[in-house]
Amino acid sequence: CFDSKPGTLKAGQADGLQPRTLEVLKSLGVADEILNEGCHMSEVAFWNPKQADGSKRQGDGIERTSFVPDVTVAARYEHEVTIHQGRIERILEENLRLYSERSIVRSTHFVDFHLDKAGDKEYPLVVEVEEEKSDGSRKRRSVRAKHLVGADGAHSGVRRRMGLKLEGETTDHIWGVVDFVADTDFPDIRKRSAIHSDAGSVMVIPRERIYSGHYLTRLYVQVKDDEVSADVDVVGKSGLSHQRSREKRAAITLEYIFEQARRVFAPYDIRVKEGTDVDWWAAYQIGQRMTPEFSMKDEEGVERVFIVGDGKETSVNAKSYHG
């Protein structure tokens, strides 16, 4: 496994595991720490604008309207689990070491691939990578393989070399996301909560306990278009241009995310617990797109190259920071 990062993820990004994924990890014998240390989400709380005497008035605040199960399909685990992605990476890497001493090669970037059966029929793929040295220089080398799996994200280099594009629409909706230790009087802060108010929408994702003994909370906060820089143009179904989308995300600040969250939570308050720092935050623009194919065959019809994860399904453009 070639990984462009120098080590496991330090903060942010993916934090949730679905029941089916937990079943697979359990079958592989690597689920115990995740199940024991992660935060279990078994129900979802829905909050909506408060209605007094059956009539809704602007600015009345929010109220809980229902609880529903988080998992609505038959599954061994009737809950999702949230836990830091870096811990999942470490658990998988420790397990891989049982089978190979050097299973993951860090600071190594994918460059290209091509088929060369004449050179080696059993290992017909030639994959070029660049190893990044401590001084910032890079050294290119080639390796041979039977198969290549590109799990390299929404801007997948493997997908581009396969000649595939993500097809579909890019939305203009931007969400701010932040991981932090919450100080709040909101009663469902330790539940997955979907909050809709006159001011906008927020999703609450409870997270696991961290080294300090505190519990993390993740908020997804919808950004209101009319509060983003007026210099940024919003266009039609093809979405923002690359430059404009970058400018729009750059207009989102951590302060804005918390200000907007407090407007949605009102009359409840939420802020960063005194004595702690924000762990990570980002601004996302989400695209709903998919590739027409997920694999490439050689001349004999054998599938040799595959793309998985965000490389085939979605496109998420983001700026992110961690403390």
Side-chain angles (χ1 to χ4, degrees), residues 78-106:
E78 296 182 351
H79 57 79
E80 295 177 271
V81 170
T82 54
I83 192 169
H84 176 34
Q85 180 180 321
R87 293 182 69 172
I88 299 172
E89 291 177 0
R90 188 259 301 160
I91 291 167
L92 293 176
E93 184 171 2
E94 288 176 353
N95 184 258
L96 285 170
R97 288 201 191 108
L98 299 175
Y99 309 96
S100 172
E101 289 187 5
R102 198 180 185 222
S103 55
I104 299 179
V105 182
R106 302 283 185 184

mmCIF file of all heavy atoms in Angstrom, residues 78-106:
data_model
loop_
_atom_site.group_PDB
_atom_site.id
_atom_site.type_symbol
_atom_site.label_atom_id
_atom_site.label_comp_id
_atom_site.label_asym_id
_atom_site.label_seq_id
_atom_site.Cartn_x
_atom_site.Cartn_y
_atom_site.Cartn_z
ATOM 1 N N GLU A 78 -26.928 -2.766 15.659
ATOM 2 C CA GLU A 78 -28.030 -1.831 15.450
ATOM 3 C C GLU A 78 -27.617 -0.410 15.801
ATOM 4 O O GLU A 78 -28.372 0.336 16.421
ATOM 5 C CB GLU A 78 -29.237 -2.284 16.276
ATOM 6 C CG GLU A 78 -29.781 -3.637 15.838
ATOM 7 C CD GLU A 78 -30.998 -4.063 16.630
ATOM 8 O OE1 GLU A 78 -31.330 -3.392 17.629
ATOM 9 O OE2 GLU A 78 -31.630 -5.070 16.241
ATOM 10 N N HIS A 79 -26.418 -0.066 15.414
ATOM 11 C CA HIS A 79 -25.894 1.277 15.670
ATOM 12 C C HIS A 79 -24.740 1.540 14.724
ATOM 13 O O HIS A 79 -24.150 0.619 14.160
ATOM 14 C CB HIS A 79 -25.409 1.404 17.123
ATOM 15 C CG HIS A 79 -24.369 0.382 17.497
ATOM 16 N ND1 HIS A 79 -23.040 0.504 17.137
ATOM 17 C CD2 HIS A 79 -24.473 -0.781 18.196
ATOM 18 C CE1 HIS A 79 -22.356 -0.534 17.594
ATOM 19 N NE2 HIS A 79 -23.205 -1.341 18.235
ATOM 20 N N GLU A 80 -24.426 2.804 14.538
ATOM 21 C CA GLU A 80 -23.188 3.218 13.886
ATOM 22 C C GLU A 80 -22.157 3.506 14.969
ATOM 23 O O GLU A 80 -22.488 3.636 16.142
ATOM 24 C CB GLU A 80 -23.410 4.468 13.037
ATOM 25 C CG GLU A 80 -24.349 4.263 11.863
ATOM 26 C CD GLU A 80 -24.577 5.550 11.107
ATOM 27 O OE1 GLU A 80 -25.508 6.296 11.476
ATOM 28 O OE2 GLU A 80 -23.826 5.816 10.159
ATOM 29 N N VAL A 81 -20.905 3.616 14.571
ATOM 30 C CA VAL A 81 -19.838 3.950 15.514
ATOM 31 C C VAL A 81 -19.043 5.122 14.950
ATOM 32 O O VAL A 81 -18.703 5.147 13.758
ATOM 33 C CB VAL A 81 -18.896 2.754 15.751
ATOM 34 C CG1 VAL A 81 -17.648 3.193 16.531
ATOM 35 C CG2 VAL A 81 -19.612 1.652 16.531
ATOM 36 N N THR A 82 -18.762 6.106 15.804
ATOM 37 C CA THR A 82 -17.864 7.183 15.411
ATOM 38 C C THR A 82 -16.571 7.048 16.187
ATOM 39 O O THR A 82 -16.570 6.825 17.404
ATOM 40 C CB THR A 82 -18.481 8.568 15.687
ATOM 41 O OG1 THR A 82 -18.891 8.648 17.059
ATOM 42 C CG2 THR A 82 -19.680 8.809 14.790
ATOM 43 N N ILE A 83 -15.469 7.172 15.482
ATOM 44 C CA ILE A 83 -14.146 7.080 16.085
ATOM 45 C C ILE A 83 -13.158 7.707 15.112
ATOM 46 O O ILE A 83 -13.370 7.692 13.888
ATOM 47 C CB ILE A 83 -13.774 5.610 16.394
ATOM 48 C CG1 ILE A 83 -12.526 5.542 17.281
ATOM 49 C CG2 ILE A 83 -13.606 4.803 15.125
ATOM 50 C CD1 ILE A 83 -12.259 4.151 17.856
ATOM 51 N N HIS A 84 -12.087 8.267 15.624
ATOM 52 C CA HIS A 84 -11.106 9.002 14.835
ATOM 53 C C HIS A 84 -10.504 8.132 13.732
ATOM 54 O O HIS A 84 -10.101 6.997 13.977
ATOM 55 C CB HIS A 84 -10.014 9.502 15.783
ATOM 56 C CG HIS A 84 -8.871 10.199 15.117
ATOM 57 N ND1 HIS A 84 -9.026 10.976 13.998
ATOM 58 C CD2 HIS A 84 -7.549 10.246 15.436
ATOM 59 C CE1 HIS A 84 -7.850 11.468 13.660
ATOM 60 N NE2 HIS A 84 -6.949 11.038 14.503
ATOM 61 N N GLN A 85 -10.460 8.662 12.516
ATOM 62 C CA GLN A 85 -9.936 7.917 11.372
ATOM 63 C C GLN A 85 -8.502 7.457 11.598
ATOM 64 O O GLN A 85 -8.119 6.364 11.161
ATOM 65 C CB GLN A 85 -10.015 8.769 10.103
ATOM 66 C CG GLN A 85 -9.495 8.054 8.861
ATOM 67 C CD GLN A 85 -9.587 8.902 7.612
ATOM 68 O OE1 GLN A 85 -10.561 9.626 7.416
ATOM 69 N NE2 GLN A 85 -8.590 8.831 6.753
ATOM 70 N N GLY A 86 -7.692 8.271 12.270
ATOM 71 C CA GLY A 86 -6.308 7.886 12.521
ATOM 72 C C GLY A 86 -6.201 6.618 13.351
ATOM 73 O O GLY A 86 -5.278 5.805 13.162
ATOM 74 N N ARG A 87 -7.141 6.412 14.279
ATOM 75 C CA ARG A 87 -7.135 5.191 15.089
ATOM 76 C C ARG A 87 -7.486 3.984 14.228
ATOM 77 O O ARG A 87 -6.899 2.905 14.378
ATOM 78 C CB ARG A 87 -8.112 5.302 16.261
ATOM 79 C CG ARG A 87 -7.713 6.335 17.289
ATOM 80 C CD ARG A 87 -8.676 6.382 18.461
ATOM 81 N NE ARG A 87 -8.592 5.183 19.294
ATOM 82 C CZ ARG A 87 -9.228 5.064 20.457
ATOM 83 N NH1 ARG A 87 -9.984 6.052 20.919
ATOM 84 N NH2 ARG A 87 -9.104 3.954 21.152
ATOM 85 N N ILE A 88 -8.440 4.143 13.318
ATOM 86 C CA ILE A 88 -8.796 3.052 12.418
ATOM 87 C C ILE A 88 -7.602 2.687 11.538
ATOM 88 O O ILE A 88 -7.290 1.507 11.345
ATOM 89 C CB ILE A 88 -10.004 3.435 11.554
ATOM 90 C CG1 ILE A 88 -11.213 3.731 12.439
ATOM 91 C CG2 ILE A 88 -10.337 2.325 10.551
ATOM 92 C CD1 ILE A 88 -12.396 4.310 11.694
ATOM 93 N N GLU A 89 -6.908 3.692 11.021
ATOM 94 C CA GLU A 89 -5.726 3.439 10.201
ATOM 95 C C GLU A 89 -4.671 2.674 10.993
ATOM 96 O O GLU A 89 -4.052 1.722 10.492
ATOM 97 C CB GLU A 89 -5.145 4.762 9.693
ATOM 98 C CG GLU A 89 -6.027 5.461 8.680
ATOM 99 C CD GLU A 89 -5.460 6.802 8.255
ATOM 100 O OE1 GLU A 89 -4.375 7.178 8.751
ATOM 101 O OE2 GLU A 89 -6.103 7.496 7.453
ATOM 102 N N ARG A 90 -4.458 3.086 12.247
ATOM 103 C CA ARG A 90 -3.455 2.411 13.081
ATOM 104 C C ARG A 90 -3.841 0.962 13.355
ATOM 105 O O ARG A 90 -3.000 0.062 13.311
ATOM 106 C CB ARG A 90 -3.285 3.189 14.382
ATOM 107 C CG ARG A 90 -2.127 2.705 15.273
ATOM 108 C CD ARG A 90 -2.624 1.840 16.402
ATOM 109 N NE ARG A 90 -3.567 2.585 17.218
ATOM 110 C CZ ARG A 90 -4.440 1.987 18.024
ATOM 111 N NH1 ARG A 90 -4.503 0.670 18.096
ATOM 112 N NH2 ARG A 90 -5.290 2.708 18.749
ATOM 113 N N ILE A 91 -5.139 0.709 13.628
ATOM 114 C CA ILE A 91 -5.610 -0.653 13.885
ATOM 115 C C ILE A 91 -5.388 -1.530 12.656
ATOM 116 O O ILE A 91 -4.900 -2.668 12.756
ATOM 117 C CB ILE A 91 -7.105 -0.630 14.276
ATOM 118 C CG1 ILE A 91 -7.278 0.007 15.657
ATOM 119 C CG2 ILE A 91 -7.693 -2.036 14.262
ATOM 120 C CD1 ILE A 91 -8.724 0.367 15.991
ATOM 121 N N LEU A 92 -5.729 -1.025 11.487
ATOM 122 C CA LEU A 92 -5.543 -1.792 10.258
ATOM 123 C C LEU A 92 -4.065 -2.041 9.980
ATOM 124 O O LEU A 92 -3.672 -3.133 9.564
ATOM 125 C CB LEU A 92 -6.190 -1.058 9.090
ATOM 126 C CG LEU A 92 -7.722 -0.945 9.125
ATOM 127 C CD1 LEU A 92 -8.214 -0.105 7.951
ATOM 128 C CD2 LEU A 92 -8.381 -2.306 9.110
ATOM 129 N N GLU A 93 -3.229 -1.028 10.224
ATOM 130 C CA GLU A 93 -1.800 -1.188 9.964
ATOM 131 C C GLU A 93 -1.183 -2.229 10.895
ATOM 132 O O GLU A 93 -0.351 -3.041 10.470
ATOM 133 C CB GLU A 93 -1.081 0.155 10.117
ATOM 134 C CG GLU A 93 0.390 0.077 9.757
ATOM 135 C CD GLU A 93 1.053 1.442 9.697
ATOM 136 O OE1 GLU A 93 0.370 2.451 9.971
ATOM 137 O OE2 GLU A 93 2.251 1.495 9.376
ATOM 138 N N GLU A 94 -1.576 -2.216 12.165
ATOM 139 C CA GLU A 94 -1.064 -3.218 13.100
ATOM 140 C C GLU A 94 -1.441 -4.620 12.659
ATOM 141 O O GLU A 94 -0.652 -5.563 12.779
ATOM 142 C CB GLU A 94 -1.599 -2.939 14.510
ATOM 143 C CG GLU A 94 -0.970 -1.722 15.177
ATOM 144 C CD GLU A 94 -1.589 -1.424 16.531
ATOM 145 O OE1 GLU A 94 -2.599 -2.079 16.879
ATOM 146 O OE2 GLU A 94 -1.068 -0.544 17.240
ATOM 147 N N ASN A 95 -2.660 -4.776 12.133
ATOM 148 C CA ASN A 95 -3.090 -6.084 11.661
ATOM 149 C C ASN A 95 -2.326 -6.497 10.410
ATOM 150 O O ASN A 95 -1.936 -7.667 10.266
ATOM 151 C CB ASN A 95 -4.594 -6.052 11.382
ATOM 152 C CG ASN A 95 -5.134 -7.400 10.974
ATOM 153 O OD1 ASN A 95 -5.376 -7.652 9.787
ATOM 154 N ND2 ASN A 95 -5.322 -8.299 11.936
ATOM 155 N N LEU A 96 -2.069 -5.556 9.516
ATOM 156 C CA LEU A 96 -1.336 -5.869 8.290
ATOM 157 C C LEU A 96 0.084 -6.334 8.587
ATOM 158 O O LEU A 96 0.655 -7.148 7.845
ATOM 159 C CB LEU A 96 -1.305 -4.647 7.370
ATOM 160 C CG LEU A 96 -2.598 -4.321 6.628
ATOM 161 C CD1 LEU A 96 -2.496 -2.968 5.948
ATOM 162 C CD2 LEU A 96 -2.937 -5.398 5.615
ATOM 163 N N ARG A 97 0.659 -5.847 9.678
ATOM 164 C CA ARG A 97 2.032 -6.241 10.024
ATOM 165 C C ARG A 97 2.136 -7.719 10.372
ATOM 166 O O ARG A 97 3.222 -8.284 10.368
ATOM 167 C CB ARG A 97 2.535 -5.399 11.203
ATOM 168 C CG ARG A 97 2.839 -3.949 10.850
ATOM 169 C CD ARG A 97 3.788 -3.327 11.861
ATOM 170 N NE ARG A 97 3.876 -1.884 11.682
ATOM 171 C CZ ARG A 97 3.351 -0.992 12.508
ATOM 172 N NH1 ARG A 97 2.702 -1.400 13.586
ATOM 173 N NH2 ARG A 97 3.463 0.298 12.279
ATOM 174 N N LEU A 98 0.999 -8.343 10.695
ATOM 175 C CA LEU A 98 1.006 -9.784 10.953
ATOM 176 C C LEU A 98 1.317 -10.563 9.678
ATOM 177 O O LEU A 98 1.749 -11.716 9.734
ATOM 178 C CB LEU A 98 -0.348 -10.241 11.512
ATOM 179 C CG LEU A 98 -0.790 -9.622 12.845
ATOM 180 C CD1 LEU A 98 -2.205 -10.092 13.189
ATOM 181 C CD2 LEU A 98 0.187 -9.993 13.949
ATOM 182 N N TYR A 99 1.070 -9.937 8.532
ATOM 183 C CA TYR A 99 1.234 -10.617 7.250
ATOM 184 C C TYR A 99 2.403 -10.066 6.435
ATOM 185 O O TYR A 99 2.899 -10.743 5.553
ATOM 186 C CB TYR A 99 -0.051 -10.494 6.432
ATOM 187 C CG TYR A 99 -1.285 -10.898 7.211
ATOM 188 C CD1 TYR A 99 -2.073 -9.947 7.853
ATOM 189 C CD2 TYR A 99 -1.642 -12.233 7.321
ATOM 190 C CE1 TYR A 99 -3.203 -10.322 8.581
ATOM 191 C CE2 TYR A 99 -2.762 -12.623 8.051
ATOM 192 C CZ TYR A 99 -3.537 -11.664 8.680
ATOM 193 O OH TYR A 99 -4.642 -12.038 9.411
ATOM 194 N N SER A 100 2.816 -8.864 6.721
ATOM 195 C CA SER A 100 3.905 -8.256 5.954
ATOM 196 C C SER A 100 4.576 -7.185 6.805
ATOM 197 O O SER A 100 3.904 -6.336 7.392
ATOM 198 C CB SER A 100 3.365 -7.626 4.661
ATOM 199 O OG SER A 100 4.365 -6.872 4.001
ATOM 200 N N GLU A 101 5.896 -7.227 6.885
ATOM 201 C CA GLU A 101 6.614 -6.254 7.717
ATOM 202 C C GLU A 101 6.514 -4.847 7.151
ATOM 203 O O GLU A 101 6.513 -3.880 7.896
ATOM 204 C CB GLU A 101 8.093 -6.667 7.841
ATOM 205 C CG GLU A 101 8.310 -7.896 8.713
ATOM 206 C CD GLU A 101 9.778 -8.177 8.956
ATOM 207 O OE1 GLU A 101 10.612 -7.347 8.522
ATOM 208 O OE2 GLU A 101 10.080 -9.215 9.554
ATOM 209 N N ARG A 102 6.454 -4.723 5.838
ATOM 210 C CA ARG A 102 6.390 -3.398 5.217
ATOM 211 C C ARG A 102 5.138 -3.319 4.356
ATOM 212 O O ARG A 102 5.201 -3.246 3.142
ATOM 213 C CB ARG A 102 7.646 -3.123 4.389
ATOM 214 C CG ARG A 102 7.826 -1.614 4.103
ATOM 215 C CD ARG A 102 9.073 -1.342 3.286
ATOM 216 N NE ARG A 102 9.283 0.090 3.140
ATOM 217 C CZ ARG A 102 9.664 0.674 2.002
ATOM 218 N NH1 ARG A 102 9.872 -0.044 0.924
ATOM 219 N NH2 ARG A 102 9.854 1.980 1.947
ATOM 220 N N SER A 103 3.992 -3.351 5.021
ATOM 221 C CA SER A 103 2.738 -3.377 4.284
ATOM 222 C C SER A 103 2.339 -2.007 3.755
ATOM 223 O O SER A 103 1.632 -1.902 2.766
ATOM 224 C CB SER A 103 1.624 -3.926 5.178
ATOM 225 O OG SER A 103 1.550 -3.182 6.379
ATOM 226 N N ILE A 104 2.768 -0.932 4.434
ATOM 227 C CA ILE A 104 2.421 0.425 4.018
ATOM 228 C C ILE A 104 3.689 1.239 3.806
ATOM 229 O O ILE A 104 4.544 1.319 4.693
ATOM 230 C CB ILE A 104 1.524 1.110 5.067
ATOM 231 C CG1 ILE A 104 0.217 0.317 5.238
ATOM 232 C CG2 ILE A 104 1.218 2.557 4.658
ATOM 233 C CD1 ILE A 104 -0.720 0.899 6.259
ATOM 234 N N VAL A 105 3.813 1.819 2.630
ATOM 235 C CA VAL A 105 4.960 2.667 2.291
ATOM 236 C C VAL A 105 4.482 4.107 2.315
ATOM 237 O O VAL A 105 3.638 4.508 1.511
ATOM 238 C CB VAL A 105 5.533 2.297 0.911
ATOM 239 C CG1 VAL A 105 6.757 3.147 0.611
ATOM 240 C CG2 VAL A 105 5.877 0.816 0.847
ATOM 241 N N ARG A 106 5.001 4.893 3.250
ATOM 242 C CA ARG A 106 4.529 6.264 3.469
ATOM 243 C C ARG A 106 5.228 7.262 2.546
ATOM 244 O O ARG A 106 6.260 6.972 1.943
ATOM 245 C CB ARG A 106 4.782 6.659 4.922
ATOM 246 C CG ARG A 106 4.113 5.753 5.946
ATOM 247 C CD ARG A 106 2.647 6.046 6.045
ATOM 248 N NE ARG A 106 1.981 5.274 7.108
ATOM 249 C CZ ARG A 106 0.693 5.305 7.346
ATOM 250 N NH1 ARG A 106 -0.095 6.064 6.617
ATOM 251 N NH2 ARG A 106 0.169 4.577 8.324
#
